[in-house]
Amino acid sequence: MDLDKAIQGRRSIREYSERKVSLDNIAEVLDAARFAPAAGNIQNFYFVIVEDKKKRKQIAEACNQIWMEKAPVHIALCNSPGRLKVLYKKFGDHYSVQNCAIASQNIMLKAFSLNLGTCFVGSFNKNKIESLLKIPPKVKVEGIITLGFVKKQEEIPRKLELRRITYFEEFGKNLK
Ligand SMILES: Cc1cc2nc3c(=O)[nH]c(=O)nc-3n(C[C@H](O)[C@H](O)[C@H](O)COP(=O)(O)O)c2cc1C
């Protein structure tokens, strides 16, 4: 798929069809994460794939976002910062979150290229999700990515124009 088409065409999808996503497709999507840039080239993320209907309902409740229930796959993006903290001391935590964020975009773009929709969900009750998925103490959940075939396509929301977010040489300085 053309890169611009993927970058500009991907939308956060909140209505999914019931069509099952094959394990091969899920694996392909997650595999894209490994190739993301990563501080120290440390892949500090783990994925928990959730297809179980009851569990998806519990996750949706823990996110207070009922639409999630109908997404056929939930991917809990887990961050294990241990090695990064050893290597980068006080910066380790920060890098670990950055690594997860960059890997997430790879996941979402890859899904889009396979005609699958995604939505990154960052608002959730951490304790509830971590206990539901039996996340070990040194690992934290950074987000849930919903995945599935699209039932309702979203319109592109307003995006700031490049000139509004770009300065030259110093913050706040526009091109003359
Ligand atoms: C860090 C982060 C947290 C987000 N959390 C939520 C969320 O809790 N629920 C939700 O429906 N969408 C969530 N989104 C998706 C954004 O709402 C969405 O990306 C934004 O509206 C732009 O739409 P687009 O992704 O279609 O370009 C989140 C996105 C990011 C990057």
Side-chain angles (χ1 to χ4, degrees):
M1 175 179 273
D2 176 73
L3 187 59
D4 281 345
K5 191 175 170 214
I7 289 172
Q8 293 169 22
R10 179 216 54 80
R11 293 275 68 78
S12 291
I13 299 300
R14 300 182 184 87
E15 276 191 51
Y16 294 89
S17 84
E18 282 173 21
R19 187 172 155 196
K20 191 174 163 52
V21 182
S22 72
L23 197 53
D24 279 354
N25 270 181
I26 299 173
E28 255 187 280
V29 164
L30 295 181
D31 200 44
R34 295 189 301 125
F35 297 94
N41 192 31
I42 291 170
Q43 283 74 55
N44 56 296
F45 33 76
Y46 291 87
F47 308 111
V48 181
I49 299 165
V50 179
E51 293 181 302
D52 179 77
K53 204 172 173 186
K54 190 172 153 219
K55 240 180 209 170
R56 285 189 282 127
K57 183 170 191 288
Q58 289 170 307
I59 292 176
E61 284 166 0
C63 299
N64 201 18
Q65 303 191 53
I66 287 314
W67 63 267
M68 290 177 71
E69 210 180 309
K70 294 211 170 117
V73 184
H74 290 181
I75 297 158
L77 175 67
C78 305
N79 174 5
S80 173
R83 283 180 65 208
L84 281 161
K85 289 210 288 205
V86 170
L87 201 58
Y88 296 111
K89 310 285 182 289
K90 64 177 182 176
F91 300 107
D93 262 329
H94 189 53
Y95 292 163
S96 74
V97 177
Q98 291 176 325
N99 282 357
C100 287
I102 293 176
S104 296
Q105 178 70 340
N106 270 19
I107 289 172
M108 293 189 283
L109 290 177
K110 182 65 195 185
F112 181 76
S113 80
L114 296 173
N115 278 324
L116 289 161
T118 55
C119 185
F120 189 100
V121 175
S123 165
F124 53 88
N125 181 317
K126 247 183 161 44
N127 291 340
K128 278 192 187 160
I129 297 281
E130 290 176 359
S131 100
L132 181 68
L133 302 181
K134 300 192 167 52
I135 307 291
K138 288 186 177 164
V139 176
K140 7 176 216 178
V141 172
E142 296 295 347
I144 311 288
I145 299 175
T146 55
L147 177 74
F149 289 95
V150 178
K151 185 170 176 191
K152 182 175 163 253
Q153 184 57 54
E154 296 282 343
E155 291 293 310
I156 183 166
R158 197 173 81 87
K159 303 282 183 185
L160 290 177
E161 288 171 34
L162 183 60
R163 66 183 172 82
R164 296 266 314 270
I165 53 174
T166 309
Y167 299 123
F168 290 84
E169 307 300 347
E170 61 184 57
F171 197 94
K173 199 168 171 188
N174 295 312
L175 193 64
K176 291 252 159 53

